[in-house]
Amino acid sequence: MLVVKKFGGTSVADKERIFNVAKRCMKSYQAGDDVVVVLSAMGKMTDVLIDQAKDINPNPSKRELDMLLTTGEQTSVALMAMALHSLGVPAISLNAFQVAMHTTSNCGNARIKRIDSERIRHELDQRKIVIITGFQGVNKYDDYTTLGRGGSDTTAVALAAALHADSCEIYTDVDGIYTADPRLVKKARKMKEITYDEMLDLATLGAGVLHNRSVEMAKKYNVPLVVRSSLTDAEGTVVKEDVKVERMLVSGVAADKNATRISVVGLEDRPGVAFRLFDALAKANINVDMILQSIGREGKKDISFTIPEDVADEALNVIEKNMERLKAEKVDCKRNVAKVSVVGAGMMSNPGVAAKMFECLYNSNININMISTSEIRVTVLIDEKEVEKAINAVHEAFGLED
Ligand code: ASP
Ligand code: MG
């Protein structure tokens, strides 16, 4: 069996944790598996490196930043190889260059294009555990790139696809995917299985366990993922195309506090206005999420939308600059809002999920600012301070508790 095992930063944060991971890998190796290990940088190393860079230059070149960040993963794979050696297990670490892991050229947010597998195969044939740097790649100019924060999950899935691995295990500091964040919802339950589509929505909407691009890639190449704890032997959650157990109406609830609502008030009610607004934002590389347009009245209309909090100032800037062209009366920005979403493949064939969610929020006296839906998701925008109450109430209303 060929297994890809990915361990996040907390799982390799110090010497003790590194040996804990080394021993887990050794066990699988001794059982006869071909073992490929993907690691993140130790603990909060990536944050530390970013701070260091910004201390020297508040606006570091993306190329140099990636040059720096890739050292984080390089440190953890080398130390892991040394740990395995001291346990008497043959192992070798490889960085993105040595593999090679080819990506698009954009530093800081590159996408994996192709992985050469010969070197890895060769090392596995020598019965070595192969330990590979997560998060990094090499572009066509032979420069280092990184895949965006949390990108090691994507490295692991890409490797599992390229090597036709029998399993891809994502080890983390929680023991699986829960029906809601267990830190916010005490009665959250660990799921046995979840579909790629549901996981993709949960990952995008704030579940924070898997990098959403890793789920996208797992779906595309049909790589079954297992999310489990690096510290216990608990079973974990399987992410795959179709789940066997009878579908619940809703599988999980997610909350995302990183949202801001911007309303552009008093726009002219004629063709091209929405285009002009969102085109200006798109050109500034700002990703817009929920969009709501009011009904026109006396030739005027309002458009509201949400964006991640960290780009709010930038978005406001873009709009201020375009006020003349947009002929808007004013702009309003509300930062203390949050998105709460219910996700479930079961709602595709069952009406009433939205109504049930709204009823539950009404019973909890929570006001809804905005609503958006997809085939398998209902999202509402509410006041940030109501998130915990909302997510617990919704979790209970859909019978998700233990
Ligand atoms: N070390 C990188 C980060 O902190 C990548 C990862 O952990 O997946 O974002
Ligand atoms: Mg992560």
Side-chain angles (χ1 to χ4, degrees):
M1 233 177 59
L2 196 163
V3 295
V4 174
K5 294 175 188 289
K6 181 260 167 179
F7 296 88
T10 44
S11 305
V12 292
D14 54 32
K15 177 177 167 188
E16 192 191 333
R17 297 268 174 105
I18 288 178
F19 271 101
N20 166 58
V21 169
K23 282 178 192 150
R24 272 196 105 115
C25 296
M26 178 171 79
K27 233 175 160 181
S28 163
Y29 172 86
Q30 286 171 343
D33 294 337
D34 285 328
V35 182
V36 173
V37 182
V38 175
L39 300 182
S40 293
M42 295 168 70
K44 296 248 169 290
M45 195 58 200
T46 307
D47 293 322
V48 171
L49 291 171
I50 291 173
D51 286 348
Q52 240 170 26
K54 296 211 158 143
D55 187 36
I56 297 272
N57 181 336
N59 199 4
S61 125
K62 289 196 167 153
R63 180 194 182 275
E64 301 308 332
L65 188 59
D66 278 0
M67 188 73 176
L68 179 69
L69 295 187
T70 46
T71 62
E73 272 67 16
Q74 203 152 310
T75 304
S76 51
V77 294
L79 292 175
M80 186 60 66
M82 295 174 199
L84 282 158
H85 294 164
S86 69
L87 295 172
V89 181
I92 185 169
S93 65
L94 298 174
N95 66 17
F97 243 105
Q98 294 163 322
V99 166
M101 190 104 53
H102 305 274
T103 70
T104 53
S105 40
N106 48 329
C107 291
N109 195 23
R111 284 178 177 257
I112 298 175
K113 289 200 326 205
R114 182 167 52 85
I115 297 176
D116 298 336
S117 54
E118 298 89 75
R119 177 76 192 266
I120 301 174
R121 292 256 180 229
H122 174 77
E123 303 295 350
L124 289 173
D125 287 345
Q126 314 281 311
R127 278 303 282 158
K128 286 182 192 159
I129 292 184
V130 184
I131 309 148
I132 298 173
T133 47
F135 179 54
Q136 61 180 250
V138 182
N139 68 17
K140 65 179 174 204
Y141 308 110
D142 274 356
D143 284 333
Y144 271 121
T145 56
T146 62
L147 309 180
R149 297 306 306 269
S152 299
D153 296 338
T154 303
T155 307
V157 174
L159 276 166
L163 297 166
H164 305 286
D166 297 287
S167 82
C168 182
E169 299 159 5
I170 310 283
Y171 290 87
T172 171
D173 50 354
V174 293
D175 59 359
I177 312 287
Y178 279 73
T179 50
D181 184 339
R183 283 166 304 184
L184 296 177
V185 180
K186 292 278 162 299
K187 291 181 179 159
R189 178 174 45 80
K190 189 169 79 186
M191 292 182 251
K192 261 190 137 58
E193 314 178 297
I194 182 170
T195 68
Y196 292 127
D197 288 330
E198 290 170 325
M199 191 60 232
L200 192 58
D201 268 348
L202 286 177
T204 309
L205 293 164
V209 183
L210 285 170
H211 194 220
N212 60 1
R213 266 165 47 205
S214 74
V215 184
E216 219 171 65
M217 187 173 301
K219 178 179 162 72
K220 185 164 168 201
Y221 295 100
N222 210 359
V223 176
L225 296 179
V226 186
V227 177
R228 51 188 301 194
S229 160
S230 59
L231 299 170
T232 71
D233 281 321
E235 234 177 61
T237 303
V238 180
V239 188
K240 56 189 194 171
E241 185 60 43
D242 220 348
V243 303
K244 277 191 216 80
V245 291
E246 196 185 346
R247 277 228 177 102
M248 303 275 285
L249 203 51
V250 159
S251 310
V253 188
D256 182 3
K257 290 187 182 171
N258 178 26
T260 292
R261 189 192 68 189
I262 293 186
S263 302
V264 189
V265 180
L267 288 156
E268 278 187 305
D269 189 17
R270 60 179 172 79
V273 173
F275 162 69
R276 239 172 264 148
L277 171 61
F278 293 111
D279 185 52
L281 292 166
K283 287 209 170 101
N285 235 329
I286 294 170
N287 238 331
V288 172
D289 185 30
M290 305 164 94
I291 298 178
L292 183 79
Q293 174 174 309
S294 71
I295 293 180
R297 42 169 164 70
E298 292 159 17
K300 297 279 185 190
K301 67 181 172 191
D302 312 329
I303 295 180
S304 301
F305 56 91
T306 63
I307 47 172
E309 220 159 293
D310 40 317
V311 295
D313 288 331
E314 218 179 318
L316 285 172
N317 249 331
V318 170
I319 298 171
E320 296 290 350
K321 267 193 217 138
N322 285 279
M323 279 308 254
E324 283 283 304
R325 254 179 90 231
L326 292 168
K327 298 200 174 59
E329 279 162 14
K330 66 169 189 160
V331 188
D332 177 63
C333 176
K334 195 167 156 53
R335 291 173 199 260
N336 46 355
V337 289
K339 283 183 289 184
V340 171
S341 310
V342 295
V343 173
M347 72 177 78
M348 233 176 323
S349 47
N350 283 285
V353 171
K356 188 164 178 163
M357 183 177 186
F358 303 156
E359 180 189 20
C360 156
L361 294 170
Y362 164 60
N363 287 337
S364 310
N365 201 19
I366 294 169
N367 193 36
I368 302 173
N369 275 299
M370 278 168 99
I371 299 168
S372 89
T373 63
S374 82
E375 268 186 322
I376 65 163
R377 171 183 64 81
V378 182
T379 302
V380 296
L381 193 74
I382 61 170
D383 213 307
E384 198 172 284
K385 59 179 191 300
E386 313 252 54
V387 164
E388 227 164 304
K389 186 162 92 174
I391 193 170
N392 277 287
V394 172
H395 192 267
E396 192 180 336
F398 284 98
L400 294 174
E401 63 277 278
D402 248 335

